[in-house]
Each structure stands twice: as C-alpha cells, then as structure tokens.
Amino acid sequence: MVFVLSVASVVLIAFFLFRENNKKKLEWIVPKTVFNEDWRLILTKNIVFYNSLVEDEKRRFEYKVQEFLLNCRITGIEVSIDITDKLLVASSAVIPIFEFDNWKYMNIQEVLLYPAMFNTKFETEGSARNIMGMVGSGYMDGIMVLSKQALRHGFENELDKKNTAIHEFVHLIDKSDGYIDGIPTLLLEKQYVIPWLDLINKKIDEIYEKQSDINPYGGTNKAEFFSVASEYFFERPKLLARKHPDLYGLLEQIFNQDMLSKNMKKNNIRIGRNDPCPCKSGIKFKKCCGLNND
C-alpha cells in the first residue's frame, strides 16, 4: 500500500503519536502467517546481510522482519513508498539485534520516510537540508525520520561503510536505557563499559587528528561514534577488523555477532525464468516468485 502525506501533516501526526505513545502498548504482536515469498525475493535481491546467513538463520531473520512490520508503521511523507522500502527499514532494525531473540523495539511506533534530506524543521525544500535520518524526542518521541534516498543508498552501496537506517536504529538501541550516550547498557556487559569508553575517546582523537578512515561524523560525540562505528561493523567487518581490531572486538561483544564469518559481498543476482527459485521452493522461478513478473 502506498502512503503520501504532506509535510504540513507531520505536526498533527506527531501530536497524535505523542498522545498515543503515552499509552503503554499492552500487547506485542507476533507473526502468525507464513513469510511472503515475494518479500523473500526482495530480501534476496537487496540485503547482503540476509544472503550471508544459512537457511535456518534466514528463517529467523524473516520472522524478525515480519514481527517488526507488525509493530511499527512506516509512512511516506510527500513520497510514495512500497514493500521494498518497508523491508529495507525492517532489515535495518533487525540486523543489529539479530542475535538477541527476545529483543523488542518498544521505543518506536512509526518510521516516517521523506523523499530526500531534510532540515531541523522537517522541511524538504530550501536551505540547510542536510539531515538524512534522526530519532525523535519530546513530541516526536517514538518516531524515526529517514530519507528514502538515504535508506535505499545504504543497501545499494556496501563499500562506503555507511548505512543511515542502521545508524538510526543503533541510536534507538542506545536509547533503550533512557539515554543516547554511546553506551548500550542493555547489550554491553559491565566489565566492558570502561574499556569501551576509553576506546571511543581514543578513536575520536584519531578522527580529529585525521589519522582514521572512520567517518568524521563519528567525532561529533560518543553517541554518534557508536552509530558510525556500527555502520562500519555491519558493512565492512573484515576491513574494520584489519584496521581497528580493538574496535571490531568490542563491537562483536556488543552485538554478539561474528561478522568475520559472513560473506558480506553483494551478489548481483540474475535469475533466469527457468532457474530454481531463490525462495528454495524447489520449483522454477517462473512458476513461483516470478509468476507475476512475466
């Protein structure tokens, strides 16, 4: 389903959501239907992380994606969105918490997708439009705002160590203890907190001294460093482990994921009509997920 809203509607939406968010969600919705085969094909075509998983892990990833979409609305603001956009958002949410089976994003109810970058007033035209994503606070609490352009780019280019949507969901993970401060208390064991803070300070100094390949935006503060480093971890883990082994090691502890064991190279998938369907149904693509593509 396609949603198109005007920017003028955002304030009304935000006010309504702020009021609704104050009512605690009494029930977490869990998937009760089989994962859609067309969705599986979209994941196969677009999500490198998904393709790096073995079959049982893929089923677990699909479940988490479906679960996220049941509990979080995704709305387009002055832009049409489709199921690919929704699956990219959901995948961005799932990737960082993939190894935490009981994780629930209770601190977000809606993701708003803007056509491109926006400014602090959520304007999509005019000057100072340099924001690609943000986690709301105050009257925008429970809302994430993302540029659709940045969302798509994050999964189209796996070499630039950048993924805006993953960046913002890491902020949400960071915020789960009440503060966005670069210390993911719920994921980081107590004995690692001081080494983590010491390492952040060291790496930020390297950024300032122009002796680092980490995105300079990570030098803004500890919270931004955590999100920027996480983008690097999930996009270029082998490069991160080679250039920053100490940082890779602590991020591996935080996310409980051995990213070095994953093949994170993008597959340029070309599926012929007579090829086996990537959904593993055992029948030809043209008679399965490709049935409506003729």
Side-chain angles (χ1 to χ4, degrees):
M1 185 175 183
V2 172
F3 299 91
V4 182
L5 296 179
S6 67
V7 176
S9 302
V10 174
V11 174
L12 291 176
I13 293 172
F15 175 77
F16 174 77
L17 287 173
F18 176 70
R19 185 180 65 183
E20 291 300 309
N21 290 347
N22 286 331
K23 302 175 183 177
K24 297 293 184 182
K25 186 182 289 186
L26 299 177
E27 181 181 357
W28 180 260
I29 305 171
V30 297
K32 295 181 180 178
T33 59
V34 176
F35 194 77
N36 187 291
E37 296 289 358
D38 291 336
W39 294 12
R40 182 170 293 148
L41 184 59
I42 293 170
L43 293 181
T44 302
K45 286 183 175 180
N46 293 280
I47 310 298
V48 173
F49 184 93
Y50 172 80
N51 287 320
S52 74
L53 304 174
V54 298
E55 291 307 312
D56 64 326
E57 291 175 329
K58 286 182 177 179
R59 302 295 85 82
R60 183 154 53 93
F61 188 94
E62 292 166 2
Y63 180 91
K64 287 176 176 288
V65 162
Q66 195 174 5
E67 183 181 37
F68 180 84
L69 292 176
L70 286 171
N71 290 279
C72 182
R73 294 181 297 274
I74 302 173
T75 306
I77 305 297
E78 290 194 336
V79 67
S80 62
I81 63 173
D82 57 23
I83 189 57
T84 295
D85 298 306
K86 293 183 179 183
L87 289 172
L88 293 183
V89 171
S91 295
S92 304
V94 169
I95 287 170
I97 52 85
F98 180 64
E99 289 298 340
F100 299 95
D101 291 337
N102 297 319
W103 186 273
K104 294 177 175 60
Y105 280 105
M106 302 301 292
N107 55 354
I108 186 170
Q109 284 75 45
E110 183 155 22
V111 176
L112 304 179
L113 290 184
Y114 280 55
M117 290 191 290
F118 48 94
N119 61 24
T120 55
K121 296 179 180 179
F122 305 105
E123 295 170 336
T124 56
E125 296 182 357
S127 60
R129 293 184 299 107
N130 58 0
I131 303 174
M132 294 185 290
M134 65 174 290
V135 172
S137 59
Y139 75 93
M140 291 287 282
D141 194 44
I143 302 172
M144 179 184 293
V145 187
L146 290 172
S147 155
K148 174 179 172 177
Q149 186 179 61
L151 170 70
R152 293 262 180 158
H153 179 78
F155 289 98
E156 289 168 356
N157 187 339
E158 77 283 9
L159 298 177
D160 62 358
K161 301 172 287 188
K162 297 177 183 178
N163 186 303
T164 298
I166 288 178
H167 180 108
E168 297 305 326
F169 276 105
V170 170
H171 277 324
L172 265 189
I173 293 167
D174 189 1
K175 189 181 180 182
S176 60
D177 60 2
Y179 304 95
I180 302 180
D181 55 6
I183 308 171
T185 305
L186 297 186
L187 302 186
L188 188 62
E189 294 183 25
K190 195 171 182 180
Q191 68 267 30
Y192 294 113
V193 172
I194 292 178
W196 173 242
L197 290 174
D198 289 344
L199 183 60
I200 289 180
N201 290 331
K202 174 186 172 185
K203 294 299 181 182
I204 287 178
D205 285 344
E206 290 175 2
I207 291 174
Y208 283 140
E209 293 166 3
K210 301 185 185 300
Q211 296 179 354
S212 177
D213 68 328
I214 295 172
N215 184 346
Y217 189 62
T220 305
N221 54 49
K222 293 180 177 64
E224 295 301 345
F225 180 85
F226 177 37
S227 282
V228 163
S230 298
E231 293 177 79
Y232 198 155
F233 178 76
F234 288 111
E235 284 227 328
R236 301 290 302 278
K238 291 181 173 62
L239 182 63
L240 179 65
R242 186 167 72 250
K243 291 200 169 188
H244 309 273
D246 45 359
L247 179 56
Y248 173 87
L250 280 175
L251 288 170
E252 188 179 69
Q253 291 285 341
I254 290 171
F255 294 112
N256 194 32
Q257 296 195 47
D258 175 14
M259 291 299 296
L260 292 180
S261 66
K262 292 179 168 56
N263 178 8
M264 296 299 291
K265 291 184 179 179
K266 190 169 186 177
N267 296 321
N268 294 318
I269 300 172
R270 298 191 178 189
I271 306 170
R273 295 177 69 253
N274 293 309
D275 290 339
C277 191
C279 75
K280 307 296 182 182
S281 63
I283 61 179
K284 292 181 179 180
F285 174 67
K286 66 181 180 182
K287 293 185 177 181
C288 188
C289 294
L291 190 61
N292 297 321
N293 292 344
D294 293 335

